[in-house]
Amino acid sequence: MPAVRPLIIGHRGAPGYRPEHTRSSYALALALGVDAVEPDVVVTADGVLVVRHENEIGGTTDVAEHPEFAARRTTKTIDGVEHTGWFTEDFTWDELATLRCRERLPQLRPSSAAFDGAEPPLRLRDVLDLVRTASRDQGREIGVVLEIKHATYFAGLGVDLDALVAAELRRAGWADGELPLYLESFEQDVLMRLRARGIRGTYVYLLEASGTAYDLLSAAGSTPPTYREQATPAGLDRLAGEVDAISVDKRMILAPDRLGRATGPARVVADAHERGLRVFTWTCRPENAFLLAAYRRGRSKAAFGDYAGEWGVIADAGVDGVFVDHADLGVAFFR
């Protein structure tokens, strides 16, 4: 049994079974009993907040099959990395609504890919309303873990994501703490701006296993700390009081050796707890492709490995929340 009962978060819905960020994906996660769902938020040309894993949508929609949008394929640099494709900020919401969603990992999840082409993208408001309805119908509190994507990039385009998010949360009745709301980002600046706007919620700073936050890289001044440095005791000292929680790449807890064996749980969870910070981790997935080498079984990347072995290390760390792609497996294991 886990050391604590963590919050079980349907990562983009239930993408182990349905294309991510679709209505059916969220509805399935809610029906399977998750405590919260996680929409990623980006924006359209006309300021509508949509839920997509990235603002590049070539891999998660059928946009490439729409000749009317062929000329919008372009190359952009997002957070220092070059991407080629189609981007939400180059479409109005009405145009995006003509697209249909696709499984992002069809070779790993062919059963999910069987639902390709069935559903349009969703707005943030659609997800907020869906969760509120499920909370009422199921007679329990269900939360939203809202991830704000690429805030510094969008600010460079003249878009204040924090203002758009705050306004949408207020319109939808999610700004005052009636239902559990978690606001997360890999960039702390946007979280601080949202908190200053009076949005009530739990503020969660996302930490990669490597690299540096793009808002820090973009700011003038001395060399910024890496994510790893921010997860040290000294870095956590600085974060405590500014955010309520951190959410870390699971490898920071598993601490794999060169042979892919977990040497953890690492100290990061305990160190954060000592400073009053809650700790979430991402992403608990059962397929061999996502497991440490020691927990893989067979040669198929799509086959399920010894996910319970890997997840057991995470549970033993005492995390406060876990992101899962297969909602039923997450609920069965962590609850």
Side-chain angles (χ1 to χ4, degrees):
M1 293 291 293
V4 298
R5 181 194 180 282
L7 192 77
I8 301 164
I9 305 159
H11 182 234
R12 311 172 198 161
Y17 303 113
R18 300 290 188 276
E20 64 188 30
H21 291 313
T22 57
R23 181 174 293 275
S24 65
S25 183
Y26 286 111
L28 181 58
L30 295 167
L32 291 172
V34 298
D35 301 306
V37 294
E38 185 228 24
D40 299 313
V41 175
V42 291
V43 68
T44 67
D46 51 344
V48 176
L49 295 170
V50 293
V51 290
R52 291 282 88 197
H53 175 51
E54 294 290 343
N55 54 326
E56 198 290 301
I57 55 172
T60 58
T61 73
D62 63 355
V63 64
E65 297 178 5
H66 286 251
E68 68 273 26
F69 301 137
R72 297 194 202 179
R73 187 173 188 269
T74 188
T75 298
K76 299 188 180 191
T77 300
I78 315 294
D79 296 356
V81 180
E82 191 174 274
H83 298 273
T84 298
W86 291 263
F87 299 84
T88 59
E89 64 268 23
D90 297 330
F91 293 78
T92 66
W93 165 245
D94 286 346
E95 290 173 329
L96 280 184
T98 67
L99 305 180
R100 293 297 177 266
C101 297
R102 286 184 166 176
E103 168 56 44
R104 188 169 59 91
L105 304 167
Q107 294 184 339
L108 287 179
R109 294 173 173 171
S111 61
S112 175
F115 294 89
D116 284 359
E119 300 178 76
L122 296 176
R123 299 164 298 182
L124 173 60
R125 180 60 183 267
D126 298 323
V127 178
L128 296 174
D129 290 349
L130 182 65
V131 174
R132 180 184 295 279
T133 298
S135 294
R136 182 194 65 214
D137 292 348
Q138 296 183 27
R140 65 188 182 97
E141 283 193 343
I142 306 174
V144 167
V145 182
L146 195 167
E147 182 179 347
I148 301 166
K149 290 279 190 173
H150 308 304
T152 299
Y153 166 78
F154 281 114
L157 302 179
V159 177
D160 290 332
L161 274 184
D162 55 293
L164 292 175
V165 169
E168 190 71 354
L169 290 171
R170 288 196 167 95
R171 283 192 296 268
W174 276 82
D176 300 320
E178 179 184 345
L179 288 170
L181 176 67
Y182 303 80
L183 301 130
E184 66 176 8
S185 178
F186 286 102
E187 301 180 48
Q188 190 182 346
D189 279 355
V190 69
L191 298 179
M192 299 302 93
R193 293 195 298 271
L194 263 173
R195 175 167 269 170
R197 291 181 181 276
I199 302 300
R200 293 182 60 185
T202 299
Y203 285 80
V204 185
Y205 185 37
L206 287 157
L207 296 170
E208 296 266 19
S210 61
T212 303
Y214 192 68
D215 57 337
L216 297 179
L217 285 173
S218 300
S222 58
T223 302
T226 65
Y227 284 123
R228 283 278 184 183
E229 289 168 337
Q230 289 184 292
T232 64
L236 295 171
D237 283 340
R238 289 189 291 271
L239 290 174
E242 295 182 353
V243 296
D244 304 306
I246 59 172
S247 185
V248 301
D249 184 326
K250 66 178 182 177
R251 295 178 67 86
M252 296 173 71
I253 296 172
L254 296 170
D257 63 17
R258 291 183 179 181
L259 297 178
R261 298 171 299 194
T263 67
R267 281 283 314 171
V268 62
V269 178
D271 287 343
H273 283 166
E274 288 173 2
R275 290 156 177 81
L277 292 165
R278 298 170 69 184
V279 183
F280 299 167
T281 192
W282 43 275
T283 301
C284 290
R285 294 163 165 147
E287 295 101 337
N288 280 326
F290 303 112
L291 296 173
L292 296 186
Y295 299 105
R296 297 170 192 160
R297 298 293 180 266
R299 295 185 177 182
S300 169
K301 292 183 178 181
F304 288 8
D306 178 21
Y307 65 88
E310 184 179 280
W311 295 6
V313 179
I314 291 169
D316 288 345
V319 294
D320 303 285
V322 292
F323 291 85
V324 299
D325 280 7
H326 297 72
D328 55 338
L329 301 183
V331 168
F333 183 86
F334 289 103
R335 196 173 289 166

